[in-house]
């Protein structure tokens, strides 16, 4: 097939915005378009999106990206999708209308139900089957909540009238006008309903959560031709041929294809994933065992640590407190003071993820004095991101009994040199920033392109990866240890704060 003058369209549907990026055969960005959408917070700890707004912004971003590059359907070889994971949408199979807003991965409304499941002794069963801990983070309890709390929905689900999907499923449904109801194996592995060993929806878990099997999408690999588009956005059908949850897509985009390679994405949250190869490693340190991708019939597994609030803490400083005007100024502010002034910020704004998994933790800013400035608070917020990543890294090292050679990083926040240097200082490990920062979208593009032969194989992709900068530890080790001791004292103050 001749792919001359053709591009791969990557859909990168995230927690706060929908983006579309066109990539060339060399893995370079041709054009990018981004549309933000509204966040809904109906009650404390609740986070929702409008599924129709997700689709509207995503379709608008696609149109804008194509217009910017002055390309038509004929210039697009295929489409890859990366998406915010765990976010739960249920819609009518006939009309395509959502029965309720999307319940976002950050949402904590099912925390009490999760505690009840733990009390009843289901934690081991769920970890053995799914690789996950019991937490409101994942899709299963969100589905159950909608079935139990939205009038008439359970009855409709039991009649086979409704579809459940994570955002990838919703986008494919919309791209094909309801002709395809699918998900990929990485997104399935984040629902707490998918058996990562048999690679099937688990009947015992579906029964436990009282979820009809008819609601569940067909599970596909991460790289294959699933379907062709049939939407007014495109005049002709374009193959949709790659799909992965955003963090797995970033792992692939960073070409962490060998066992032991590790990446951290700094987005709304922070997500560290370690490639463990063909065998799942069940964590003894509160990490998640997940599926990295399924490619050429082979499943690759990973260990993951999820930090719920990463870059979102900077958004919070800007939008809720009004302390800063933009994220870009945080590097300058952090560097304007010699240290954090004794201030520590635990950004447990939606509880704490790995390795604490405390649904009742809440945000803490501690060590404030009369001399505390906006610069100190900003620096403490950035440092708090890095400390959380350190805690995940330590859990990972304890699980695999080895220290990684490097941490590859991606996501919007990695342009902040202060953040990257402090991360290297605290972790005592080289932090490697690639030239192409959009590795989530790039991973989706790679998975899609491989399926149609746009790229020959992974070895060809490895030739494209290039370095921007390496950050090595410069801080005295004793200083780093002192900072970490104070950080863990601050974390102790935040734990279990909101429990009854």
């Amino acid at each position: 097939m001749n792919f001359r003058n053709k591009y791969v369209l990557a859909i990168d549907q995230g927690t706060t915005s929908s983006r579309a990026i066109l990539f060339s055969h060399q893995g370079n960005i041709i054009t990018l378009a981004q549309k933000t959408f509204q966040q809904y917070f109906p009650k404390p700890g609740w986070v929702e999106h409008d599924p129709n707004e997700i689709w509207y912004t995503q379709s608008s971003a696609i149109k804008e990206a194509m217009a910017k590059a002055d390309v038509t359907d004929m210039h697009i070889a295929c489409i890859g999708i990366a998406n915010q994971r765990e976010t739960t949408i249920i819609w009518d199979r006939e009309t395509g209308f959502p029965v309720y807003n999307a319940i976002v991965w950050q949402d904590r409304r099912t925390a009490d139900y999760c505690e009840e499941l733990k009390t009843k002794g289901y934690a081991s069963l769920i970890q053995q089957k799914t690789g996950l801990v019991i937490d409101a983070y994942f899709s299963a309890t969100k589905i159950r909540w909608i079935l139990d709390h939205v009038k008439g929905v359970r009855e409709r689900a039991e009649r086979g009238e409704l579809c459940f999907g994570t955002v990838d499923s919703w986008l494919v449904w919309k791209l094909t006008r309801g002709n395809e109801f699918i998900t990929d194996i990485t997104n399935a592995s984040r629902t707490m309903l998918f058996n990562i060993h048999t690679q099937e929806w688990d009947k015992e878990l579906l029964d436990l959560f009282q979820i009809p099997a008819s609601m569940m999408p067909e599970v596909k690999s991460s790289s294959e031709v699933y379907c062709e588009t049939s939407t007014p956005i495109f005049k002709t059908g374009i193959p949709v041929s790659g799909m992965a949850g955003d963090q797995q897509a970033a792992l692939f985009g960073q070409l962490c294809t060998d066992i032991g390679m590790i990446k951290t994405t700094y987005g709304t949250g922070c997500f560290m994933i370690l490639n463990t190869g063909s065998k799942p490693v069940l964590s003894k340190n509160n990490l998640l065992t997940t599926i990295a991708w399924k490619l050429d019939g082979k499943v690759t597994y990973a260990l993951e640590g999820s930090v719920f609030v990463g870059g979102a803490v900077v958004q919070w400083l800007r939008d809720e407190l009004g302390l800063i005007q933009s994220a870009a100024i945080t590097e300058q502010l952090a560097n304007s003071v010699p240290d954090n002034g004794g201030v520590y910020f635990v950004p447990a704004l939606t509880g704490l993820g790995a390795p604490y998994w405390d649904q009742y933790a809440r945000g803490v800013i501690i060590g404030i004095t009369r001399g505390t400035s906006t610069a100190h608070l900003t620096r403490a917020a950035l440092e708090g991101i890095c400390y959380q990543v350190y805690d995940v890294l330590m859990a990972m090292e304890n699980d695999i009994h080895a220290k990684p050679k490097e941490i590859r990083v991606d996501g919007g926040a990695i342009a902040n040199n202060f953040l990257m240097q402090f991360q290297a200082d605290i972790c005592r490990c080289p932090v490697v920033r690639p030239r192409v920062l959009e590795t989530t979208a790039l991973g989706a593009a790679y998975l899609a392109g491989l399926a149609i032969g746009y790229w020959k194989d992974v070895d060809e992709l490895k030739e494209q990866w290039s370095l921007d900068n390496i950050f090595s530890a410069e801080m005295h080790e004793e200083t780093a240890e002192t900072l970490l001791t104070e950080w863990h004292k601050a974390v102790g103050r935040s734990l279990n704060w909101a429990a009854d």
Side-chain angles (χ1 to χ4, degrees):
M1 192 177 293
N2 183 8
F3 294 117
R4 186 179 179 185
N5 297 325
K6 288 204 171 190
Y7 309 109
V8 177
L9 171 62
I11 290 173
D12 183 5
Q13 202 298 305
T15 308
T16 57
S17 69
S18 299
R19 306 195 305 158
I21 303 178
L22 285 171
F23 287 98
S24 70
H25 193 270
Q26 290 72 40
N28 295 322
I29 295 173
I30 301 303
T31 188
L32 180 154
Q34 179 170 352
K35 303 288 183 182
T36 58
F37 52 87
Q38 189 166 350
Q39 311 289 304
Y40 296 92
F41 309 103
K43 295 182 181 180
W46 291 29
V47 189
E48 297 179 1
H49 294 158
D50 177 350
N52 288 319
E53 190 179 6
I54 288 175
W55 169 243
Y56 173 74
T57 54
Q58 190 61 71
S59 58
S60 296
I62 292 169
K63 293 173 188 174
E64 183 179 318
M66 292 174 64
K68 279 183 176 179
D70 194 23
V71 302
T72 66
D73 306 9
M74 303 304 295
H75 298 100
I76 300 176
C78 58
I79 297 171
I81 297 173
N83 58 282
Q84 54 166 313
R85 304 171 303 172
E86 298 95 20
T87 295
T88 296
I89 305 173
I90 297 177
W91 66 93
D92 186 284
R93 192 179 290 271
E94 289 298 319
T95 66
F97 294 157
V99 303
Y100 188 78
N101 270 349
I103 301 182
V104 180
W105 58 272
Q106 298 165 315
D107 189 281
R108 312 309 295 168
R109 76 186 66 187
T110 59
D112 289 343
Y113 176 44
C114 289
E115 292 304 315
E116 183 184 321
L117 290 168
K118 293 176 190 176
T119 301
K120 290 180 177 178
Y122 288 111
S124 178
L125 172 76
I126 286 172
Q127 187 191 28
Q128 291 295 325
K129 285 175 176 283
T130 69
L132 307 178
V133 300
I134 296 176
D135 194 84
Y137 177 28
F138 306 107
S139 309
T141 62
K142 303 178 194 299
I143 302 170
R144 171 74 181 264
W145 189 93
I146 294 174
L147 293 179
D148 287 347
H149 290 85
V150 182
K151 187 177 180 181
V153 166
R154 178 167 289 283
E155 292 75 16
R156 291 165 67 188
E158 289 172 352
R159 291 196 298 267
E161 297 173 6
L162 301 182
C163 298
F164 151 73
T166 41
V167 172
D168 59 314
S169 300
W170 174 243
L171 292 178
V172 172
W173 179 275
K174 299 297 280 187
L175 284 166
T176 62
R177 296 190 191 183
N179 289 321
E180 292 292 332
F181 180 38
I182 62 173
T183 188
D184 100 291
I185 196 167
T186 69
N187 281 291
S189 76
R190 311 296 296 192
T191 59
M192 215 156 70
L193 297 167
F194 188 74
N195 190 311
I196 62 172
H197 309 288
T198 65
Q199 295 163 40
E200 295 175 334
W201 297 117
D202 193 280
K203 185 179 184 304
E204 186 177 5
L205 295 180
L206 289 169
D207 290 344
L208 171 64
F209 291 102
Q210 299 178 17
I211 296 170
S214 62
M215 294 180 69
M216 309 308 287
E218 182 182 358
V219 181
K220 299 282 193 175
S221 76
S222 310
S223 179
E224 63 177 283
V225 178
Y226 312 115
C227 54
E228 287 194 347
T229 59
S230 56
T231 165
I233 300 173
F234 308 109
K235 294 177 182 176
T236 59
I238 298 172
V240 181
S241 52
M243 208 150 56
D246 50 11
Q247 304 312 319
Q248 288 95 330
L251 188 71
F252 197 77
Q254 286 274 33
L255 293 167
C256 294
T257 53
D258 296 331
I259 295 174
M261 295 186 75
I262 191 170
K263 74 88 198 173
T264 302
T265 297
Y266 296 76
T268 301
C270 293
F271 302 88
M272 178 177 280
I273 305 189
L274 170 76
N275 183 330
T276 63
S278 61
K279 294 183 179 180
V281 175
L282 282 185
S283 176
K284 296 179 180 177
N285 294 279
N286 290 327
L287 299 178
L288 309 176
T289 305
T290 196
I291 292 175
W293 51 75
K294 184 176 183 180
L295 187 63
D296 297 329
K298 298 176 182 177
V299 172
T300 296
Y301 292 90
L303 275 175
E304 178 176 338
S306 307
V307 171
F308 294 155
V309 175
V313 72
V314 175
Q315 284 183 315
W316 183 77
L317 289 177
R318 181 192 66 197
D319 299 340
E320 305 306 324
L321 295 192
L323 282 183
I324 58 173
Q325 292 181 325
S326 69
I329 200 173
T330 58
E331 181 178 345
Q332 178 186 337
L333 281 169
N335 281 321
S336 72
V337 288
D339 53 42
N340 61 19
V343 178
Y344 291 82
F345 188 167
V346 183
L349 308 183
T350 57
L352 283 174
Y356 302 100
W357 293 109
D358 187 340
Q359 306 186 89
Y360 301 110
R362 289 297 179 266
V364 167
I365 304 173
I366 201 163
I368 300 170
T369 68
R370 284 286 299 270
T372 299
S373 66
T374 297
H376 290 117
L377 288 173
T378 302
R379 180 167 178 143
L382 295 178
E383 290 181 355
I385 297 170
C386 298
Y387 293 134
Q388 291 179 100
V389 171
Y390 167 88
D391 286 342
V392 172
L393 180 64
M394 290 304 101
M396 229 164 240
E397 289 184 8
N398 289 331
D399 270 338
I400 65 170
H401 308 294
K403 189 174 180 69
K405 294 178 181 177
E406 63 183 25
I407 303 170
R408 293 190 174 185
V409 295
D410 54 72
I414 70 168
N416 187 314
N417 289 323
F418 172 84
L419 186 75
M420 295 296 94
Q421 183 58 55
F422 193 80
Q423 191 70 81
D425 287 337
I426 288 297
C427 290
R428 320 303 295 175
C429 180
V431 170
V432 178
R433 184 167 67 193
R435 181 179 55 82
V436 177
L437 304 186
E438 301 291 348
T439 53
T440 297
L442 184 59
Y446 280 162
L447 290 167
L450 286 171
I452 65 163
Y454 186 83
W455 290 289
K456 181 183 176 184
D457 52 28
V458 172
D459 287 338
E460 181 182 354
L461 300 180
K462 285 182 177 179
E463 294 175 6
Q464 295 187 358
W465 192 91
S466 60
L467 175 70
D468 172 64
N469 201 355
I470 298 178
F471 297 86
S472 300
E474 297 175 355
M475 182 184 291
H476 289 300
E477 194 164 354
E478 286 184 7
T479 303
E481 289 175 359
T482 299
L483 289 170
L484 286 164
T485 298
E486 296 299 299
W487 159 255
H488 289 124
K489 282 169 60 179
V491 170
R493 305 295 200 277
S494 79
L495 295 175
N496 208 36
W497 181 263
D500 291 335

